[in-house]
Amino acid sequence: MEEIMSEGPLTGIRVVDASTLFAGPLTAMHLGDMGADVVKVEHPRRPDPARGHGAAKDGHNLWSKTLGRNKRAMTLDLSSEAGQAVFVRLAAWADVVVENFRPDTLERWNLGYDRLSAENPGLVLARLTGFGQVGPYRRRPGFGTLAEAMSGFAAMTGEPDGPPTLPPFGLADGIASLAAAYAVMTALHARHRTGRGQVVDLAIVEPILAMLGPQLTQWDQLGTVQPRTGNRSVNNAPRNTYRCADGRWVAVSTSSQNIAERVMRLVGRPDVIDQPWFATGTGRVEHADELDGAVASWVAERSRDEVVAAFEKAEAAVAPIYDASDIAADPQFDALGTIQHVDDPDLGRMAMQNVLFRLSETPGQIRFTGRAHGADTAGVLAELGYGAAEIAAFRTAGTV
């Protein structure tokens, strides 16, 4: 595994990923993408359930190839005394531990922060749960779907006469992973000043709530709740998706006044620009039916390529609505390097999303794809100082 030594901005940072499913593993993936040495810890007989989610090819789960990238994979039974002792040694090796067990689980295993930090005072322990470490819901199962429901996201998403709508992917988990990676880096920076690590308590429901704009402040100050508006915006119009003559779709946004004016000139309705209500986003929202109708009629007479070209010439904001095949063929994503093709030992060359951003001097990279369950157990244990006989005894006892 020579790739692990590749330089990156987080080279030298060691991370133990003891989490499952999505928010925690994504957090560790982001850190690994930037060069951290990440060790993924899974139960010897019950792998991370994410290994069974989504599509597979030739018996190999595709999602885990991305979710597990840049991570060494080891197994360890944390409910056993021997496994707990190994974990303490692993945490002493690490800078960061990421976990998402229900609150009190680590403490029940005698692996709470008091014990771990006694061996490693600089350790950052990132704890990701649905509802945090305190409060009446602390021990509830904490899947991202529940956060999407309780944050207000589902209530404001969907058609006005339809049901609350959930996203078809792990939105809350993904947002939480970005917040957790930021929290970990904040804690590591604080450690430079204090010499001490600390606990990160992240409730998955909170980061998505923070992204939903002023809905809470609006309710507090005005007593109003943001309604479901489909693809329309409560802040500006026209803003929607529109079907083109060739059956493909585009999205239009007019967040700024200048863009709104350009769009209406383009679609042949410059007359509305001089109306008093057109001068503000909220005023345009009150006339969304008229504005949407004008844009929809104009778009419906042209192919998607014609629409995009006309909008670009008018310097108005439009985007084609893409699926994965469109993304793979788009020259902008190609220029950015958004999609990387990585060699995988099981499936050969495979495409996946690249790291989140580009650094000019110390860029992150995908060094290797997700590893098989427990593929690096012996190597990690040897690094921790265990001999071949001890490792064999662990296997016999089911500790690893």
Side-chain angles (χ1 to χ4, degrees):
M1 297 297 294
E2 293 181 359
E3 303 96 325
I4 293 170
M5 301 308 295
S6 299
E7 290 292 321
L10 296 185
T11 295
I13 296 295
R14 295 167 167 175
V15 178
V16 175
D17 177 10
S19 61
T20 59
L21 292 171
F22 307 117
L26 280 168
T27 301
M29 185 198 78
H30 296 316
L31 299 174
D33 284 351
M34 291 298 147
D37 183 359
V38 181
V39 173
K40 169 79 171 180
V41 175
E42 298 173 80
H43 192 280
R45 294 164 293 283
R46 296 188 297 276
D48 185 338
R51 290 185 181 273
H53 279 244
K57 180 181 178 182
D58 299 335
H60 299 284
N61 178 264
L62 297 179
W63 201 348
S64 65
K65 292 294 186 181
T66 297
L67 195 61
R69 72 190 192 192
N70 294 333
K71 302 177 186 179
R72 293 189 281 171
M74 73 172 294
T75 59
L76 192 60
D77 183 357
L78 300 184
S79 66
S80 69
E81 286 191 20
Q84 290 158 14
V86 173
F87 192 80
V88 170
R89 191 180 294 191
L90 190 61
W93 166 88
D95 297 283
V96 180
V97 170
V98 179
E99 66 96 3
N100 66 345
F101 299 105
R102 290 198 199 184
D104 301 329
T105 300
L106 284 186
E107 286 74 14
R108 189 173 72 247
W109 291 335
N110 193 26
L111 293 174
Y113 190 68
D114 288 349
R115 182 182 181 188
L116 299 181
S117 62
E119 298 293 328
N120 181 1
L123 181 69
V124 173
L125 176 62
R127 314 193 77 169
L128 284 71
T129 56
F131 302 101
Q133 298 294 314
V134 299
Y137 303 157
R138 61 192 292 270
R139 290 191 57 78
R140 285 185 181 181
F143 299 114
T145 297
L146 309 187
E148 290 147 9
M150 292 183 66
S151 64
F153 173 86
M156 67 169 65
T157 304
E159 295 299 324
D161 57 351
T165 301
L166 297 167
F169 64 100
L171 177 62
D173 287 297
I175 295 173
S177 75
L178 296 174
Y182 164 55
V184 165
M185 297 311 300
T186 302
L188 289 174
H189 181 72
R191 189 179 70 176
H192 286 301
R193 294 186 296 104
T194 67
R196 298 284 303 179
Q198 58 187 299
V199 176
V200 173
D201 176 10
L202 187 140
I204 294 172
V205 72
E206 289 185 303
I208 187 172
L209 173 58
M211 296 297 105
L212 293 181
Q215 60 156 341
L216 192 61
T217 304
Q218 179 179 318
W219 174 82
D220 175 69
Q221 295 296 305
L222 302 176
T224 59
V225 174
Q226 182 168 323
R228 289 190 289 281
T229 57
N231 288 322
R232 287 182 173 177
S233 169
V234 297
N235 300 310
N236 64 82
R239 189 264 199 178
N240 214 323
T241 59
Y242 305 92
R243 185 181 176 92
C244 304
D246 55 7
R248 295 187 286 183
W249 293 77
V250 296
V252 172
S253 176
T254 58
S255 295
S256 75
Q257 185 67 24
N258 287 339
I259 295 295
E261 293 176 4
R262 292 171 191 166
V263 168
M264 299 317 297
R265 288 193 185 97
L266 175 64
V267 302
R269 288 297 308 274
D271 56 294
V272 298
I273 296 172
D274 296 327
Q275 296 296 323
W277 51 262
F278 196 87
T280 65
T282 52
R284 297 196 303 274
V285 167
E286 294 174 359
H287 294 78
D289 286 344
E290 179 181 1
L291 300 176
D292 255 351
V295 176
S297 297
W298 186 90
V299 169
E301 296 175 351
R302 294 160 175 82
S303 70
R304 189 181 74 179
D305 289 346
E306 291 172 330
V307 171
V308 171
F311 266 73
E312 287 188 353
K313 184 177 180 180
E315 297 185 348
V318 70
I321 293 180
Y322 277 176
D323 60 22
S325 64
D326 297 309
I327 294 167
D330 186 88
Q332 181 61 32
F333 289 127
D334 183 59
L336 292 172
T338 303
I339 302 169
Q340 288 293 293
H341 291 82
V342 188
D343 289 324
D344 178 77
D346 301 312
L347 299 174
R349 198 79 165 155
M350 63 190 309
M352 61 180 64
Q353 300 95 319
N354 202 358
V355 301
L356 289 173
F357 49 84
R358 288 158 293 282
L359 296 177
S360 63
E361 300 300 323
T362 55
Q365 62 176 313
I366 304 170
R367 303 186 299 282
F368 52 92
T369 58
R371 305 274 287 162
H373 179 235
D376 304 293
T377 299
V380 173
L381 290 174
E383 279 187 37
L384 296 178
Y386 292 100
E390 291 174 292
I391 295 171
F394 286 147
R395 293 196 186 281
T396 299
T399 303
V400 300

